[in-house]
Amino acid sequence: MPTLRLALAQMNATVGDLEGNAATISRLRTQAAALGADLVATPELSLLGYPPEDLLLKEGFIAAAQRKVAGLERSSAVPPILVGTVAEGLELAPSGDSRDDADPFDRRQERPRIANAVAALDASGVVAIATKRLLPNYDVFDERRYFMPGVGPHTIVNLQGVSIGILICEDVWLSNGPAAALVSEGATLLVVSNASPYAMGRRAEREAMLAQRARELNVPIAYVNMVGGQDELVFDGQSFVVDATGEVIARAAAFREELLVVDIEAQAGSVGVEMHATKSHNRDELLMPRIAEPLQEVGEVYEALVTGTRDYLRKNGFRSAVIALSGGIDSSLVAAIAVDAVGAAAVKGFALPSRYSSDHSLRDAEDLAERLDIEIRTIPIDPAHVALEGMLGGALDHEVRGLTEENLQSRIRGVLMMGISNDSGAIVLTTGNKSEMAVGYTTLYGDSAGGFAVIKDVPKTLVYQLCNYRNDLALELGDLAPIPQTVLTKAPSAELRPGQRDDQSLPPYGELDPLLELYVEQDVTADQLIERGYDRALVERITRLVDFAEYKRRQMPPGVRITAKAFGRDRRMPITNAFRTGAK
Amino acid sequence: MPTLRLALAQMNATVGDLEGNAATISRLRTQAAALGADLVATPELSLLGYPPEDLLLKEGFIAAAQRKVAGLERSSAVPPILVGTVAEGLELAPSGDSRDDADPFDRRQERPRIANAVAALDASGVVAIATKRLLPNYDVFDERRYFMPGVGPHTIVNLQGVSIGILICEDVWLSNGPAAALVSEGATLLVVSNASPYAMGRRAEREAMLAQRARELNVPIAYVNMVGGQDELVFDGQSFVVDATGEVIARAAAFREELLVVDIEAQAGSVGVEMHATKSHNRDELLMPRIAEPLQEVGEVYEALVTGTRDYLRKNGFRSAVIALSGGIDSSLVAAIAVDAVGAAAVKGFALPSRYSSDHSLRDAEDLAERLDIEIRTIPIDPAHVALEGMLGGALDHEVRGLTEENLQSRIRGVLMMGISNDSGAIVLTTGNKSEMAVGYTTLYGDSAGGFAVIKDVPKTLVYQLCNYRNDLALELGDLAPIPQTVLTKAPSAELRPGQRDDQSLPPYGELDPLLELYVEQDVTADQLIERGYDRALVERITRLVDFAEYKRRQMPPGVRITAKAFGRDRRMPITNAFRTGAK
């Protein structure tokens, strides 16, 4: 059987950065040449970044991407390459679906005219283009907005006597779909380009699916994924190869750029567009395949949060971050993540005690800062509290109290943090978790004010697990645990009034989080929850809180998605929404 | 030729309010009965509201909608009705596209299982269901996310000897599409259910398209549209009927609920599912068709803003609104709109002068309030300014200055307005216009803090036109012009530092707005603008400002869409986006 040395370029593309992404592709291709690779595969839309969103509606952007593909190196000194890009000018539409350009009211004018594509290039230029057939339009995906589905013959290239079928992401998820068609047309190896965002459990799911597909079709399959953060999404990499029995024979790291080079034995294949191989190179022996050990789930989430935060800052030009440290568990976790993302020197904490803050909170914040080796400054907020109380009380003709006073304190902190950000150029990282986001226990323009909401998709119970994970990791390495034990054991409180504790107005998080998961992530309605035996009063109160907080969530900063359904583009609920329990 | 008396129920549905929408449908149906109508047509998704967004992913919501359809009145005392709803359990997929339920990795599980539908009901219940074939997935529309395209035979019902072909919105926009198919199958009248959101120029476009379609097919067509606001969208109604020559023979009002009853002459038709007519009613003579006079463009925009604001407040339970009045043109316009939307008694203004505010600003704000007959209170912000300057200066180890100080003032105002909102339950209406939103000349958590951004889609030049329109309208009615002349003539300034004027850092709005329209609404890239002859330095500066402000816009409150491309779900740009000029 012929052996193909395939290099999977698990790269960190930046959306819109055609120049930079092309440079990354070129760098990895040169590395692959040095390692004797026959072919380099890159992720879905590797040249454009994923997802480019409405950049794809700009003809000027599409034209620039096309020019960039045309400018990729054409030389037998480097291996042929599969590049993720867009294709236009193809006969993409089935004949019955052609546009009538003469009809000014034909709304099909609005339909996309490009395809999500992989271009196969060798020293002679582009020899073949594969187009994505199945376009995901659910969850965070809007591919029907941008792309025409690929139609027509599938794309196979032939290299070193192997017939390589090219697929793009969704295409491989369907049995009896494009993968099966490629094999029936003669492909003896499948290569899938992906931009598959991270969510808990996704790696295992991908590997089980690909193993099944390999066994069904009796071919090896290589899966190359994007890595790195893009706004709310983080790509975990974890590119891998299964042999024809479905066994994982190589796996790249999670959340790191890596060139995974694998010798793949495949049946000899005779079909496909012939690609010119690189000029002869030294390749004395087969490579030992690298199979990275997968992370445990909580560790994987932690790395996702670190990667998403690091890339949001780096790709948006922020060199440092500031965090309001309350001494509570959420801000402690965010500070630890920030330090792991950009280093302690680039992170600064601010303790902003009010008249209701406890001494232990300030001590805990200082203890955390010392353990993380970050600078901390304290700004008591009372002068502004007094001033604004007086101004507001005068305008309202009565004393400021209750929720208004609680929010006032939180917003003074927001103003201070944003002032520090304006002055220093540091980004404000906010500290709200998903449980709070869900029920709206966050002050709009207060604690939620900032540029990136690191743990907005992390339920409170997972916040505890992540803290323990990070502490255990430090202890294993012989370091000081970053998060003080007192932070982990005290009862959660916003300290916006004397003696306040979260459990006075909410059920314990161990009860709340599963209920929220059902309502928010699994779309179980309030009536259905009651039918399943949940307490009616509790369900009505919690679901009402979730619905009512939609207007707040719409104004939250972006944050890393780690669950199967995050707030944001993943869950598009109307603000104006009268659907309630008991809608018979 | 037979005559069908058709009642177009131009109704204001609320998303998710199955109970309330069903009640509205029932009320209009009873009115139609009294007017001797043969058939009542309602808008697209009239029972669910449009767009229900991810409510459609909840099986419990779909089931509740189905129960509601089943519970609609079955009686020959009221006319048969066409109700906008969802259909499930239909064989919607072409046979080659069936799901393999046994494959756990088959991502087609994610595909929608419902259709956007119109149910035709008479005294015997649902007699026919029409499904939407063409699903818009561009602009603000995500219908591929929710619906399967309808397939199979088209739906025709027969009533009073007329064969009525049923279409849903997008279906009618295609020549040689579903409309043509219906007529070739024997339909002699077409009825289209729509939820077509307002944008400038849309009415004329719809009427031209429908006239063309009617002439092509030689049949009369009735177009019933939704009316009212839903989050960022506002539906303008303006339902209408064209005869077979394309002439508009009836038109309902813009932005108001109306039952438009029209006698339509159609060719006798013999095909279609027979519907039971209502029991005999008095109908001595033909109706004089009502043809509402369309509004002029600026007036139409004004009404769109009033309607969108009124409905956002009403449908979300707000009884009153508060507005920070700077004495500038934007806040003056917003106050006038708010008063027209909910009445002067429900609107309260706050003047929040800083140390840099001019006396004339305060006088203009007071003059405006007097003209609008709204209460105004003044809260000088200096006490908080002094306190926060001191606190922030201490933390920064230097004086607060420049942008940091400007934003500080704006955020103190935001804190005060939100405190007033928390205390009173009134919604804060923000006052930023589209030109400012575009270039980011707005302070996050400052002037942009609030619940609804009334004019966020209105370019500054149109702000002036709207003010003049409103003043002229008042003068025509013999009323006092609401917006003081000095507000209209002074140079725009945020007054956040001494002597600041907008034109010191931006080109005149008359130059800026057309450039922004090309870049934001028409997706012309910076390079293309330069090629068209715009000054390179200006283009680079403005487009950079627009790109950089994406993170701010992501945190803006919703506001009324009036252009063909609003910021928000209409323009989905990545925040992390490295595409710039000169990307060759």
Side-chain angles (χ1 to χ4, degrees), chain B residues 247-300:
Chain B
E247 194 188 341
V248 174
I249 59 166
R251 184 189 296 119
F255 303 108
R256 273 167 191 69
E257 198 167 90
E258 178 172 338
L259 189 73
L260 181 70
V261 185
V262 197
D263 288 325
I264 304 176
E265 287 201 334
Q267 300 288 334
S270 55
V271 303
V273 180
E274 201 64 39
M275 291 195 95
H276 299 283
T278 186
K279 65 185 175 198
S280 66
H281 46 254
N282 292 329
R283 200 160 78 193
D284 297 333
E285 53 194 27
L286 288 183
L287 288 168
M288 273 296 289
R290 160 170 151 80
I291 309 183
E293 186 68 26
L295 300 166
Q296 296 300 303
E297 188 165 85
V298 176
E300 199 181 63

Side-chain angles (χ1 to χ4, degrees), chain A residues 15 53-54 103 105 139 145 173 175 230-231 316 377 397-398 407 422-423 445 450 572 575-576 578, chain B residues 15 53-54 103 105 139 145 173 175 230-231 316 377 397-398 407 411 422-423 445 450 572 575-576 578:
Chain A
V15 164
E53 300 187 82
D54 279 9
D103 180 353
F105 304 118
D139 296 356
R145 181 177 174 90
W173 285 85
S175 63
Q230 168 62 27
D231 289 352
N316 286 288
R377 306 266 326 220
D397 298 322
H398 60 75
N407 282 334
N422 283 155
D423 186 77
Y445 322 129
R572 305 179 191 176
I575 298 176
T576 304
Chain B
V15 164
E53 301 190 76
D54 279 8
D103 181 352
F105 303 118
D139 296 353
R145 181 177 175 90
W173 284 85
S175 64
Q230 167 64 27
D231 289 353
N316 286 288
R377 305 259 336 213
D397 298 323
H398 61 74
N407 282 335
R411 292 197 179 107
N422 283 154
D423 185 78
Y445 322 129
R572 304 180 190 175
I575 298 176
T576 304

Side-chain angles (χ1 to χ4, degrees), chain A residues 204-247:
Chain A
E205 192 193 3
R206 281 184 210 127
E207 292 188 2
M209 178 277 298
L210 215 67
Q212 177 178 311
R213 203 67 72 240
R215 284 191 301 266
E216 284 166 5
L217 303 172
N218 194 33
V219 291
I221 313 181
Y223 183 104
V224 57
N225 195 17
M226 190 75 87
V227 73
Q230 168 62 27
D231 289 352
E232 303 222 309
L233 302 182
V234 58
F235 300 94
D236 54 314
Q238 312 206 64
S239 302
F240 65 106
V241 180
V242 292
D243 65 18
T245 72
E247 195 188 341

Side-chain angles (χ1 to χ4, degrees), chain A residues 109-444:
Chain A
Q109 304 294 337
E110 307 272 1
R111 287 201 201 170
R113 290 168 181 263
I114 56 173
N116 184 337
V118 165
L121 284 100
D122 64 15
S124 69
V126 175
V127 299
I129 290 179
T131 51
K132 189 173 184 177
R133 276 104 211 290
L134 306 178
L135 298 175
N137 207 63
Y138 49 78
D139 296 356
V140 297
F141 303 108
D142 282 314
E143 293 204 4
R144 284 272 186 177
R145 181 177 174 90
Y146 305 112
F147 301 119
M148 300 199 73
V151 293
H154 292 89
T155 303
I156 301 176
V157 294
N158 199 288
L159 187 66
Q160 307 287 44
V162 179
S163 290
I164 305 163
I166 304 170
L167 293 161
I168 304 173
C169 211
E170 194 84 356
D171 287 345
V172 79
W173 285 85
L174 181 61
S175 63
N176 291 315
L182 280 163
V183 173
S184 75
E185 289 164 23
T188 58
L189 164 68
L190 299 179
V191 177
V192 197
S193 287
N194 306 273
S196 174
Y198 175 69
M200 285 186 278
R202 200 63 96 213
R203 181 198 58 76
E205 192 193 3
R206 281 184 210 127
E207 292 188 2
M209 178 277 298
L210 215 67
Q212 177 178 311
R213 203 67 72 240
R215 284 191 301 266
E216 284 166 5
L217 303 172
N218 194 33
V219 291
I221 313 181
Y223 183 104
V224 57
N225 195 17
M226 190 75 87
V227 73
Q230 168 62 27
D231 289 352
E232 303 222 309
L233 302 182
V234 58
F235 300 94
D236 54 314
Q238 312 206 64
S239 302
F240 65 106
V241 180
V242 292
D243 65 18
T245 72
E247 195 188 341
V248 173
I249 59 167
R251 183 190 296 120
F255 302 108
R256 274 167 189 68
E257 197 167 89
E258 178 172 336
L259 188 73
L260 181 70
V261 184
V262 197
D263 288 325
I264 304 176
E265 289 201 332
Q267 301 287 335
S270 56
V271 301
V273 180
E274 200 66 38
M275 291 195 96
H276 299 284
T278 185
K279 65 183 176 200
S280 66
H281 45 255
N282 292 328
R283 197 159 80 193
D284 298 334
E285 52 193 29
L286 288 183
L287 288 168
M288 273 296 287
R290 159 169 153 81
I291 310 185
E293 186 68 29
L295 300 166
Q296 295 301 301
E297 186 164 85
V298 176
E300 200 180 62
V301 171
Y302 192 86
E303 290 302 316
L305 297 169
V306 169
T307 303
T309 303
R310 179 191 295 129
D311 275 2
Y312 190 84
L313 268 61
R314 180 175 65 82
K315 294 179 179 180
N316 286 288
F318 291 101
R319 295 190 183 167
S320 57
V322 290
I323 306 168
L325 298 177
S326 69
I329 190 163
D330 296 317
S331 58
S332 298
L333 175 61
V334 169
I337 291 166
V339 167
D340 288 337
V342 295
V347 179
K348 201 163 164 179
F350 289 86
L352 306 168
S354 79
R355 63 185 70 154
Y356 305 121
S357 297
S358 58
D359 292 342
H360 72 77
S361 294
L362 189 55
R363 279 201 308 274
D364 286 343
E366 285 167 348
D367 187 8
L368 173 85
E370 198 176 314
R371 288 160 180 265
L372 288 173
D373 196 22
I374 62 174
E375 199 183 328
I376 182 169
R377 306 266 326 220
T378 300
I379 316 177
I381 68 167
D382 216 53
H385 193 166
V386 169
L388 283 159
E389 251 180 340
M391 293 158 69
L392 205 47
L396 300 171
D397 298 322
H398 60 75
E399 200 187 326
V400 174
R401 55 186 171 242
L403 189 65
T404 306
E405 195 207 356
E406 294 182 26
N407 282 334
L408 187 58
Q409 298 165 65
S410 185
R411 292 196 178 109
I412 290 167
R413 293 184 176 125
V415 170
L416 289 168
M417 295 306 294
M418 291 305 294
I420 291 160
S421 171
N422 283 155
D423 186 77
S424 64
I427 189 174
V428 178
L429 300 180
T430 66
T431 63
N433 61 62
K434 189 175 196 175
S435 311
E436 286 173 2
M437 294 284 156
V439 295
Y441 279 29
T442 178
T443 299
L444 198 54

Side-chain angles (χ1 to χ4, degrees), chain B residues 462-481:
Chain B
L462 185 52
V463 168
Y464 282 92
Q465 293 177 272
L466 287 163
C467 287
N468 284 319
Y469 162 81
R470 185 63 188 82
N471 276 357
D472 290 347
L473 193 69
L475 295 174
E476 274 171 34
L477 296 169
D479 293 339
L480 196 63

